[in-house]
Amino acid sequence: MNLRNLVLLCAAIPLGTAAVMPAMAADYPSKAIEFVVPSSPGGGTDVMTRTFTDVARKYIAQPLVVTNKPGASGSIGMSEVQRAAPDGYKVSVLISELAIIPHLGMTKLTTNDFIPIARINADPGTITVRADAPWNSIEAFLDHARKNPGEVKMGNAGSGTIWHLAAAAVEEKAGVRFNHIPFQGAAPSVMGLMGGHVDAIAVSPAEIGPFVASGKLKALVLMADQRLPGLYEKVPTFKERGVDLSVGTWRGLGVPTGTPPEVIKVLRDLTRKTVEDPAFKEAMAKNNLLLAYMEGEQFKPFMTAQSDYFKQLLTKVTIQK
């Protein structure tokens, strides 16, 4: 092969490659789509995702598969999707830890590594104890913690997670010090509390809902701007009790950068139809998950703002990794 022919061949390769991608995108989806949950089964993120896919299946012909990849404050599952082919067949559930863990040096993964499909849910934190615990108010709980610094065992969903940071923020705002006990997810932390391995946990209302309803656990306070309806209508907020603290988690969907626009549109249309479905809204409410839909174009700057917020917050609290 002479030099001229070699040059012509090399020049033709990108054109052929480029021609394949739109064709593939136009056929999307032609096989199952995997939704990667970066946390353990049974927690709020897992419940939200399975609720979403259960309803979404009526709007798409291909199977929707949910896979749990917990660990490292969500970075294991999210990193797997970030490294995957940008073809829309592996979707990550994006969680609030994506805006936290880069600032802890736990990962190089950032909010810029994904194209957001949409935010689906946002929940405040709670401080929750067993029903037989001696504290019936957040004031009594914090007073005990002040008198016994470092002795109250506070469970969280893992080092560097949103609930670890939320508990640390309580320390900073209320002038207390906890003994932080990490678990491999929010659901395991609830089981730890039920089993008496910790004194309290910081989690969302979704994770504790069934146990609060059955009278086995009691939420002492919400880390929210206002009270929640239904099961938690009698639970006060920190702000009501004179503590200026509002911290919560959020959950959405994202795909790797480089995913074709045609694929993005399919996933965004699917998400919009699903969250507007009455069955989805009913299931979310039943599981104490707050619907907080946000389109992808708005979700991106929201995640950036969250990253900036947690970066500043981390200068004020102590997080032991």
Side-chain angles (χ1 to χ4, degrees):
M1 180 181 293
N2 60 35
L3 180 61
R4 180 176 179 275
N5 289 338
L6 180 61
V7 170
L8 290 174
L9 177 61
C10 292
I13 290 175
L15 294 175
T17 303
V20 171
M21 184 60 77
M24 292 176 62
D27 294 336
Y28 178 84
S30 60
K31 60 181 181 180
I33 302 173
E34 180 185 10
F35 288 76
V36 178
V37 177
S39 56
S40 57
T45 304
D46 179 65
V47 172
M48 185 210 75
T49 307
R50 294 179 188 278
T51 300
F52 175 85
T53 53
D54 283 348
V55 177
R57 288 186 179 99
K58 70 172 71 172
Y59 298 109
I60 198 162
Q62 298 298 332
L64 304 180
V65 180
V66 178
T67 305
N68 293 85
K69 293 294 178 79
S73 302
S75 64
I76 290 178
M78 290 187 286
S79 293
E80 178 177 304
V81 176
Q82 187 269 332
R83 294 190 303 266
D87 55 13
Y89 289 104
K90 194 179 282 284
V91 178
S92 178
V93 180
L94 302 181
I95 56 178
S96 50
E97 280 78 2
L98 182 60
I100 299 171
I101 52 180
H103 308 305
L104 292 171
M106 297 176 65
T107 181
K108 294 182 179 179
L109 198 67
T110 73
T111 58
N112 293 322
D113 290 315
F114 296 93
I115 298 175
I117 301 303
R119 187 185 74 178
I120 297 175
N121 156 258
D123 288 320
T126 71
I127 296 296
T128 300
V129 298
R130 292 186 303 278
D132 60 359
W135 316 291
N136 292 311
S137 69
I138 188 60
E139 289 86 354
F141 175 78
L142 293 176
D143 184 59
H144 175 80
R146 290 190 190 97
K147 294 176 179 177
N148 301 275
E151 292 187 12
V152 173
K153 295 179 180 177
M154 176 67 72
N156 61 60
S159 296
T161 62
I162 180 63
W163 303 132
H164 186 186
L165 182 57
V170 173
E171 290 180 309
E172 191 266 334
K173 289 289 186 179
V176 298
R177 183 162 57 86
F178 301 127
N179 177 11
H180 297 277
I181 308 296
F183 290 84
Q184 289 296 316
S189 77
V190 174
M191 292 300 100
L193 177 62
M194 293 285 290
H197 302 293
V198 292
D199 301 306
I201 52 174
V203 290
S204 75
E207 276 100 18
I208 58 172
F211 304 100
V212 171
S214 65
K216 295 178 180 178
L217 298 179
K218 55 186 176 184
L220 298 179
V221 72
L222 292 170
M223 304 178 195
D225 291 331
Q226 57 187 19
R227 294 194 184 197
L228 298 181
L231 185 62
Y232 298 96
E233 61 184 359
K234 294 183 179 180
V235 180
T237 67
F238 262 123
K239 292 189 174 182
E240 287 180 47
R241 297 299 189 256
V243 179
D244 185 18
L245 179 63
S246 181
V247 181
T249 190
W250 44 263
R251 306 172 176 104
L253 302 176
V255 290
T257 55
T259 302
E262 298 89 345
V263 173
I264 299 297
K265 184 179 186 305
V266 170
L267 289 171
R268 285 180 174 170
D269 289 346
L270 174 65
T271 303
R272 188 182 306 108
K273 290 176 183 177
T274 302
V275 300
E276 290 176 351
D277 192 302
F280 179 72
K281 294 179 179 179
E282 181 180 350
M284 289 286 282
K286 182 179 179 180
N287 287 299
N288 296 292
L289 288 160
L290 298 181
L291 185 59
Y293 178 71
M294 181 181 286
E295 292 278 358
E297 290 82 358
Q298 289 75 47
F299 190 24
K300 182 71 173 182
F302 168 81
M303 289 196 298
T304 300
Q306 283 282 285
S307 180
D308 294 339
Y309 167 77
F310 286 119
K311 182 179 181 180
Q312 290 299 315
L313 183 59
L314 283 165
T315 66
K316 303 176 183 179
V317 301
T318 299
I319 291 288
Q320 295 179 346
K321 292 175 283 184

